Every structure is written in structure tokens, then in C-alpha cells.
Amino acid sequence: MNINFFGILALPNSLNRFISKFMDTNNEIRLRLRFNKEVNQNIDSLRQKFIQFTTTNSPDYFLKIRGYHIWINIKGPKKAYWSPHLHLEMEYKDQNETHIRGLFGPDPTLWTLFMFLHFMIAGTFIIFCGIAYSDYILKTSTTGDFVVMSLMVFAWFLLYVTAKQIRSNGEKQMNDIEKVFLEILES
């Protein structure tokens, strides 16, 4: 799950391995955690296990199944605005083997809000870049333009820090969802 930013640089392989070995999920930029899992079970019997779990009427978890896509959400009094959900995608690999790709993410409404704010900040930054260029060509003051662009960069970092905080708030619930996922696999 680590992103090796230093692999882009021309660093020796030993240094790249050293740097990426000590990067943990709190030090990476990615906000939505991903994983892959190989399961030695038929894809249809595995899907049936998830369907079976939906009939137990768990008070804390809600499963939505569409084809071979499964969403595990938190419901009831445990759900908060920062509560994560898990999206699983099952792929047929072999007769008795299934590849599962998982993606932890925030509530889709919250994620949409964050993306909207990112696009608004980026749009404002680009517009004021154009205005700053025009002011520079016209030999007028560009101070206000650069102040607004600096504020947009600051707002972007503020959004990122907020998203990291939301992810850390939901870390316990991510672990709980992962336990439910593993219990369903083992049943």
C-alpha cells in the first residue's frame, strides 16, 4: 500500500527500498486505502457467503451486493460523518480461486463534497493565474492575484489535513469492517 515517491528520483535501488520500507500508511499521500487478497474459494460460493451475511440483519453493518461488487457500510448509532465503507470487487481467477480487490473510503457524500471543494480551489487558482498573467502583461499590480493563489494553495493543504484527520478518526471502524470481512470469508 505504500507509494514510493523516491522511485521517481534517480536514487539507488538500495536507498529506494530503505525509504519505502519505513513508510507507513500515515506517511503516504493516498487517502483511500487499497488491498488485494487471494481466496481459495469459488467466486459464486464466496458471493453466497456475503448474501448469507445480509440475512443475519447485523445491527451495525449493512451490505449492498451488485453482481460481484460488495459494499460494507456501518449503520445505526455507530455511523458518523467520518465512518468509512469498504468496497470489494471479486474477480474470477481459477475454478477454486478468487481475487478480491478492496478499497476503504469515506462516505460517498463526504467524498463528493471533498472533490467538489478540490475542483473549486483548483478552478479559482487557475483563474487567478490567468488574471495574474494579464496583470503582468498590462504592467499592473499582481499582488492581489498572488495572495489569492497563495490562499488557494493553503486551502488545498487544509483540505488534505482535514481528510487525513477524518481517515484517522475512522481507523478503528476500518479495522472493525475488516474483521467483519474476514469473518464472512471464514464462515
Side-chain angles (χ1 to χ4, degrees):
M1 278 207 261
N2 291 332
I3 300 173
N4 186 359
F5 293 106
F6 300 102
I8 298 170
L9 305 173
L11 297 174
N13 283 339
S14 59
L15 185 57
N16 278 337
R17 277 186 259 121
F18 175 78
I19 291 171
S20 65
K21 181 179 179 182
F22 292 102
M23 289 182 70
D24 65 0
T25 57
N26 291 326
N27 292 334
E28 65 181 35
I29 288 184
R30 185 181 310 179
L31 292 171
R32 298 172 63 187
L33 300 176
R34 302 171 189 273
F35 67 89
N36 293 305
K37 186 167 184 65
E38 302 292 333
V39 180
N40 293 324
Q41 294 180 31
N42 185 316
I43 191 167
D44 292 318
S45 65
L46 195 57
R47 183 176 183 273
Q48 194 61 37
K49 285 183 177 184
F50 285 98
I51 292 171
Q52 181 72 25
F53 182 81
T54 60
T55 62
T56 63
N57 293 330
S58 173
D60 298 328
Y61 301 100
F62 170 72
L63 267 69
K64 184 168 58 170
I65 302 170
R66 299 288 182 264
Y68 293 108
H69 290 265
I70 299 165
W71 291 267
I72 303 175
N73 297 304
I74 295 175
K75 69 176 184 178
K78 286 188 174 184
K79 184 168 177 63
Y81 74 92
W82 42 262
S83 292
H85 76 277
L86 174 59
H87 173 228
L88 302 169
E89 182 179 351
M90 298 188 300
E91 297 175 347
Y92 176 82
K93 187 169 182 181
D94 198 0
Q95 184 67 15
N96 287 323
E97 194 169 357
T98 303
H99 179 76
I100 299 176
R101 286 192 278 173
L103 173 66
F104 284 102
D107 185 68
T109 307
L110 182 65
W111 186 254
T112 303
L113 173 68
F114 267 87
M115 290 298 103
F116 172 75
L117 292 174
H118 279 325
F119 286 122
M120 291 300 295
I121 289 170
T124 304
F125 182 85
I126 290 170
I127 287 169
F128 275 89
C129 279
I131 293 171
Y133 178 72
S134 296
D135 287 343
Y136 175 76
I137 294 298
L138 296 172
K139 297 188 180 1
T140 59
S141 174
T142 58
T143 306
D145 305 327
F146 283 110
V147 166
V148 171
M149 290 186 325
S150 299
L151 287 173
M152 292 302 106
V153 170
F154 176 74
W156 183 81
F157 280 114
L158 188 65
L159 271 179
Y160 178 74
V161 168
T162 303
K164 288 286 275 191
Q165 182 62 41
I166 288 171
R167 184 177 104 176
S168 68
N169 288 347
E171 206 164 302
K172 182 187 177 312
Q173 289 184 337
M174 271 194 274
N175 293 333
D176 294 341
I177 291 174
E178 183 183 19
K179 287 177 188 173
V180 169
F181 164 63
L182 294 174
E183 284 175 14
I184 294 170
L185 289 183
E186 293 172 1
S187 64

